[in-house]
Amino acid sequence: MRSLKHPVIKLAATTVIALGATQAYAADRLTIGVAVPTATHGYTAGIVYWANQAKKDLEAANPNLKVIVKTAGTPPEQANQIQDLVDVNKIGALVILPLDSASQTQPVNQVKNKGVYVTVVDRGLTNPAAQNAYVAGDNAAFGRLAAEYMGKRLNGKGNIVVLRGLPTTVDNDRVNAFNEEIKKYSGIKVLDAKYGNWNRDDAFKVMQDYLTRFKQVDAVWAADDDMAIGVQKAIEQAKRTDIKEVVGGGGAKFAVKKIMDGDKLVRADVSYSPRFMYDAIKMTAEARLKGQALPAKTIVPSVLITKENAKQFYFPESPY
């Protein structure tokens, strides 16, 4: 079985909380349903990969445990799947990364009301009462660490352009933290911040626009590793040599490999690995088998990835 590498996850996994009298029992046999989005791009491919790795490792280590992984392409499909997991598969716990927070809240709440233990991952529900536990990355640190690194790398002066993700609370948390941190460097000017939709093709177009409008760009914060690929392609096609840094985010293996190999543009990244899907399933399984509960909220810290620590975040077997 893979070990839990991050110290906070280790802490959460070892400080599970005893449930109330009505739920405090150790399961002789446990079936966990896992509901995740279909692998439509690199990040969700990583989510699906780590969910299936958890199934493989945990079932091998626990003969009384069964893990059922379901992938869905639409919110209605995911809602139907979790209903089937309860009615047909008789799950005792659900670990879900909702396709959409609002539309999945009521279906998940119905599952919880039937006595199923619910762990929600990454994208929260609109009503936290519909879940027992929540596991996610640190989005504020995601933005703050990128800004801190760029400020230092540019020695406090220069021009930056920003590519945002999708208009979501996750993106807002990241960008607000980035802006607060970058304000500390009075010589740095953020020329513009447009949405690249966490998509490499959209990011390519946004970066083309930036390169046309701005004759001097010193660094780019593309707040996602897929977007960073589109950014680098646009820079390469434009043959621009003024840009010294492209910082993405997510800890994708191709970005980490560039850092390890000493790439000229990609020297740092910020972790937000889909591996937390593996950790959330493992934590839920271990707690429920003991009749325990997870902390209500577990935040996996984001870490600045540089050449010095890149090997710790490189998972070559993962699609992301």
Side-chain angles (χ1 to χ4, degrees):
M1 183 184 297
R2 292 172 183 274
S3 63
L4 296 178
K5 291 186 175 182
H6 203 286
V8 171
I9 295 297
K10 287 180 181 177
L11 178 64
T14 55
T15 58
V16 290
I17 302 168
L19 285 172
T22 57
Q23 293 177 286
Y25 62 88
D28 294 331
R29 299 185 64 83
L30 175 66
T31 299
I32 295 180
V34 177
V36 296
T38 301
T40 55
H41 61 281
Y43 197 81
T44 50
I47 291 290
V48 174
Y49 170 82
W50 285 113
N52 283 303
Q53 282 297 115
K55 170 183 171 63
K56 177 183 174 184
D57 291 351
L58 294 171
E59 287 184 344
N62 301 279
N64 294 328
L65 176 68
K66 182 177 182 181
V67 179
I68 302 172
V69 178
K70 298 284 188 180
T71 62
T74 65
E77 184 183 12
Q78 188 172 56
N80 289 333
Q81 286 179 347
I82 62 175
Q83 194 62 50
D84 284 347
L85 285 167
V86 175
D87 295 339
V88 178
N89 302 109
K90 311 298 182 186
I91 59 173
L94 172 70
V95 181
I96 180 171
L97 195 159
L99 272 96
D100 175 82
S101 300
S103 65
Q104 295 307 297
T105 296
Q106 184 58 27
V108 172
N109 192 47
Q110 291 174 352
V111 169
K112 181 170 179 270
N113 287 339
K114 291 182 178 180
V116 175
Y117 187 88
V118 176
T119 300
V120 174
V121 183
D122 193 30
R123 301 171 190 168
L125 301 174
T126 54
N127 178 13
Q131 67 201 21
N132 295 99
Y134 176 63
V135 179
D138 189 340
N139 288 294
F142 185 99
R144 186 180 66 253
L145 288 170
E148 184 180 64
Y149 170 80
M150 296 173 79
K152 291 178 179 177
R153 282 289 299 173
L154 295 178
N155 292 319
K157 57 183 179 182
N159 294 331
I160 290 176
V161 292
V162 172
L163 285 88
R164 306 186 59 162
L166 285 166
T168 60
T169 56
V170 168
D171 180 73
N172 290 340
D173 289 344
R174 294 175 176 183
V175 173
N176 289 341
F178 180 89
N179 289 337
E180 284 300 310
E181 184 66 26
I182 210 68
K183 284 178 184 176
K184 298 176 182 177
Y185 303 91
S186 58
I188 290 180
K189 183 178 182 181
V190 178
L191 298 173
D192 204 350
K194 285 189 171 182
Y195 290 103
N197 303 320
W198 290 322
N199 178 284
R200 65 182 65 181
D201 293 333
D202 290 351
F204 175 77
K205 294 173 185 175
V206 171
M207 193 63 204
Q208 278 188 318
D209 173 65
Y210 284 159
L211 293 173
T212 301
R213 292 164 52 205
F214 305 119
K215 300 306 177 187
Q216 179 65 42
V217 178
D218 298 290
V220 182
W221 182 43
D224 174 79
D225 287 330
D226 274 327
M227 290 200 299
I229 290 177
V231 165
Q232 291 170 74
K233 185 177 179 182
I235 293 171
E236 182 181 345
Q237 284 194 3
K239 299 181 180 179
R240 290 282 290 261
T241 59
D242 48 323
I243 300 163
K244 305 175 184 67
E245 292 273 351
V246 175
V247 179
K253 68 176 182 181
F254 52 82
V256 177
K257 187 66 163 58
K258 280 178 176 285
I259 295 168
M260 293 167 63
D261 293 344
D263 188 88
K264 291 181 180 179
L265 277 179
V266 182
R267 297 186 179 90
D269 197 29
V270 178
S271 68
Y272 199 90
S273 173
R275 193 183 189 282
F276 58 40
M277 196 72 219
Y278 181 103
D279 295 332
I281 298 168
K282 178 181 170 69
M283 291 160 56
T284 302
E286 292 180 342
R288 297 307 296 143
L289 286 168
K290 296 176 183 173
Q292 296 176 328
L294 302 180
K297 190 173 186 179
T298 300
I299 298 299
V300 183
S302 289
V303 176
L304 183 70
I305 303 172
T306 64
K307 195 167 186 176
E308 286 68 33
N309 64 355
K311 285 185 179 179
Q312 300 175 33
F313 299 91
Y314 185 57
F315 305 108
E317 70 277 14
S318 169
Y320 182 79

